[in-house]
Amino acid sequence: MNIDLSNLKEPGSSKSIQERIKIPAFEFQKQEIETPYLFDLDLNIINTSDSFVLTGQLSGVLSLVCNRCLEKFEYELQVEIEEELLKEEVESIERINLIGILQENILLALPIKNLCSENCKGLCTVCGQNLNEEECNCERETIDPRLAILKDFYKKADHEG
Ligand SMILES: [Zn+2]
Ligand SMILES: [Zn+2]
């Protein structure tokens, strides 16, 4: 979504935007930032003499992948926006890339570590079982991974036989 600021030519003029907007999913450091729902945007834009200043709030929900268990989880987000666009750096005031600005602000508000919960137990390093859902029988600290495969094999054979 681009916004048109050409009607804000006079220094001191301002406008506000209150909208539910779609922010497309994007990628950051090989991490997919999914945006399953609309976001609430409440933004005020003012023309200072040499820049446009954007202030306001963006709130919504992201879908992120947990660093430990690799499951998706929803992350609620509220971002304070404070952005200054220098006029000399704005290519065209009829087409300000608002989505790009909002995506950058979302990145700044991301958690340092994506965890579905503080207590996420992650995956078993041997069999890959999601330990939040079920404990497995692996001896994770001591077992030789090759033995683990064998053990798994016998367990399966047991079930099938
Ligand atoms: Zn998790
Ligand atoms: Zn396991």
Side-chain angles (χ1 to χ4, degrees):
M1 172 178 151
N2 292 315
I3 45 171
D4 182 355
L5 299 183
S6 58
N7 54 355
L8 291 188
K9 283 220 169 74
E10 292 296 313
S13 57
S14 67
K15 78 167 172 183
S16 59
I17 300 175
Q18 269 120 5
E19 247 181 79
R20 309 210 69 198
I21 58 163
K22 172 79 195 154
I23 297 180
F26 58 110
E27 219 179 74
F28 176 65
Q29 292 181 343
K30 296 196 177 151
Q31 182 195 163
E32 187 75 16
I33 315 281
E34 288 183 29
T35 50
Y37 314 109
L38 295 177
F39 284 75
D40 281 313
L41 176 66
D42 186 350
L43 193 67
N44 191 60
I45 305 171
I46 184 162
N47 183 346
T48 72
S49 50
D50 51 8
S51 68
F52 293 103
V53 173
L54 288 67
T55 52
Q57 277 192 342
L58 177 71
S59 57
V61 174
L62 303 175
S63 171
L64 301 173
V65 174
C66 175
N67 292 151
R68 283 191 200 149
C69 69
L70 308 180
E71 295 287 330
K72 282 187 186 174
F73 67 101
E74 292 192 342
Y75 182 76
E76 239 177 85
L77 177 102
Q78 193 166 57
V79 197
E80 295 291 327
I81 297 172
E82 258 193 72
E83 197 81 42
E84 184 172 22
L85 305 177
L86 294 175
K87 284 182 190 168
E88 56 184 32
E89 290 172 8
V90 170
E91 275 176 35
S92 155
I93 64 167
E94 287 98 42
R95 289 171 51 87
I96 304 279
N97 177 4
L98 182 62
I99 293 298
I101 293 170
L102 297 179
Q103 286 173 332
E104 277 174 29
N105 276 271
I106 287 175
L107 289 183
L108 295 175
L110 285 180
I112 294 166
K113 218 167 186 208
N114 295 342
L115 293 180
C116 63
S117 106
E118 285 287 320
N119 309 319
C120 174
K121 298 185 191 130
L123 301 179
C124 169
T125 50
V126 179
C127 70
Q129 166 69 41
N130 182 342
L131 299 173
N132 299 313
E133 289 167 2
E134 206 180 342
E135 239 334 298
C136 57
N137 296 317
C138 302
E139 293 167 44
R140 283 187 288 281
E141 269 76 42
T142 52
I143 203 162
D144 182 320
R146 283 165 301 177
L147 287 181
I149 292 166
L150 214 59
K151 198 172 163 188
D152 208 39
F153 174 78
Y154 283 124
K155 209 163 61 186
K156 268 195 203 124
D158 244 24
H159 282 293
E160 282 157 19

